[in-house]
Each structure stands twice: as structure tokens, then as C-alpha cells.
Amino acid sequence: HSFLECPALLLLLSLLLLPLGLPVLGAPPRLICDSRVLERYILEAREAENVTMGCAQGCSFSENITVPDTKVNFYTWKRMDVGQQAVEVWQGLALLSEAILRGQALLANSSQLSETLRLHVDKAISSLRSLTSLLRALGAQKEAISLPEEASAAPLRTFTVDTLCKLFRIYSNFLRGKLTLYTGEACRRGDR
């Protein structure tokens, strides 16, 4: 009787491996469809946002960092092809990962950045890696790539942020907004 036959153990194993940013081997391809998984990432992102809210000193970047626009027009979103939604989420996730890595590099020499804040930045980088793996398993990347050129030509809306707090706010909004909407839709389709 192998432990891989036990879904609860497998889920637990996957959740333990995810924070390390490791690809979860043998993980159910629809692990992200378990609402508790996404909720955990959202909770971490909100925590990071709350911790950085009071951080004025040492949390400003020496340059502006480009992030995806997280605003969602539900009417437009609902009318979008699921492939286009995948593109938005996939590109947004990639841009966010770049932004947080850039933020980490810019603050690397900041003596005023507390250990707690550094930990939240590291955690966010690891979480984004895991989310990328989970979305890949769900087929988001395939959907984003298989779109005809003209359909995916709409450029991703972006703007810039200049503090760690704003960066974490975008990160948190992105997970609660577009990512949650997309996974909800993709998981529903997969259940049919």
C-alpha cells in the first residue's frame, strides 16, 4: 500500500514541497483547484502586505518597478476567451516574479530592511515559483501559447511602483483577483 494512493498524504507532501519552489513530482495536476492551496498563498501575500504597510524607512526602491495592472473589469473578463485569460494570468505572474526579484535586488543592500521583511520577500519569490508550477500543471501555459497571434496581441496593462508596500499590495490583489478568477474557471471546465 503506497502512500501515493492516499490523497490526503499526497496533498500534505505537496504542500510541504511547494514553499521550496520545487516542482511537485507526482502532484495531482489539479492541486491548485483545492481552494485551500490558493487560500494559503493569498493569506501569505496579505500578511506581507500588512507587514510592509508601516514600513516607510528603507522600503523605497531607488527606481520604479513595473508591475501588472490588477484591476479586473468583470464584464470584459467574463467575455474573454479562457486562452486570453490564461495569457493575462501567465504574463502577470511572470511580471510579478520579475518585479519581486528586482525589488529583492534593490533592497539587498538596505541596512534598514528588517529580517522579517526579507523573509516575506523570499517567501513571495518561492510562492510565485510554486504558483507558476501549479498553473503549468493546470495547462495555463499551454493555453496561453496555443492562442492565435492576433488574439494574444493585446499588451498587458502595466504601471510602476516605488515601494515594497505597493509591490506587495499588487501581489496580493493579483492573487485574489485575476489568478483566483482564472483558476476557478479552469477548474470548473476541467470538472465537466
Side-chain angles (χ1 to χ4, degrees):
H1 177 74
S2 100
F3 76 97
L4 289 177
E5 285 162 25
C6 172
L9 261 175
L10 187 62
L11 177 69
L12 185 67
L13 178 74
S14 305
L15 289 174
L16 289 172
L17 291 174
L18 285 178
L20 304 173
L22 298 172
V24 184
L25 299 174
R30 305 175 60 69
L31 184 63
I32 201 164
C33 293
D34 181 332
S35 61
R36 290 168 301 184
V37 173
L38 199 51
E39 270 164 26
R40 209 196 85 209
Y41 289 110
I42 290 171
L43 199 69
E44 267 180 21
R46 289 187 95 146
E47 218 175 90
E49 185 189 350
N50 292 338
V51 168
T52 52
M53 268 177 166
C55 160
Q57 279 262 282
C59 287
S60 295
F61 303 128
S62 53
E63 62 182 62
N64 284 347
I65 295 180
T66 305
V67 291
D69 184 359
T70 56
K71 284 192 200 76
V72 180
N73 175 328
F74 291 99
Y75 177 69
T76 314
W77 184 265
K78 287 237 177 291
R79 294 178 61 201
M80 277 167 92
D81 177 73
V82 75
Q84 287 171 294
Q85 292 176 352
V87 169
E88 286 247 337
V89 170
W90 195 251
Q91 288 180 336
L93 208 55
L95 191 57
L96 259 177
S97 300
E98 273 173 44
I100 291 186
L101 280 167
R102 184 74 196 124
Q104 184 189 41
L106 288 172
L107 295 172
N109 303 323
S110 166
S111 54
Q112 285 154 321
L113 199 61
S114 72
E115 210 40 57
T116 314
L117 288 177
R118 280 183 212 283
L119 194 68
H120 278 293
V121 174
D122 293 347
K123 232 188 214 175
I125 290 168
S126 158
S127 294
L128 282 162
R129 276 195 199 119
S130 302
L131 284 166
T132 303
S133 296
L134 287 170
L135 277 180
R136 195 176 279 126
L138 192 61
Q141 189 184 21
K142 278 197 218 74
E143 264 172 351
I145 291 169
S146 64
L147 262 193
E149 270 306 297
E150 63 279 3
S152 60
L156 185 71
R157 290 190 316 277
T158 61
F159 61 101
T160 59
V161 294
D162 56 1
T163 66
L164 193 57
C165 179
K166 286 177 189 166
L167 180 54
F168 275 132
R169 186 175 306 137
I170 294 299
Y171 172 46
S172 172
N173 286 348
F174 184 79
L175 297 194
R176 286 181 314 197
K178 288 181 181 176
L179 187 68
T180 300
L181 284 170
Y182 170 72
T183 51
E185 188 54 45
C187 293
R188 264 198 306 280
R189 277 186 324 145
D191 290 341
R192 277 176 213 153

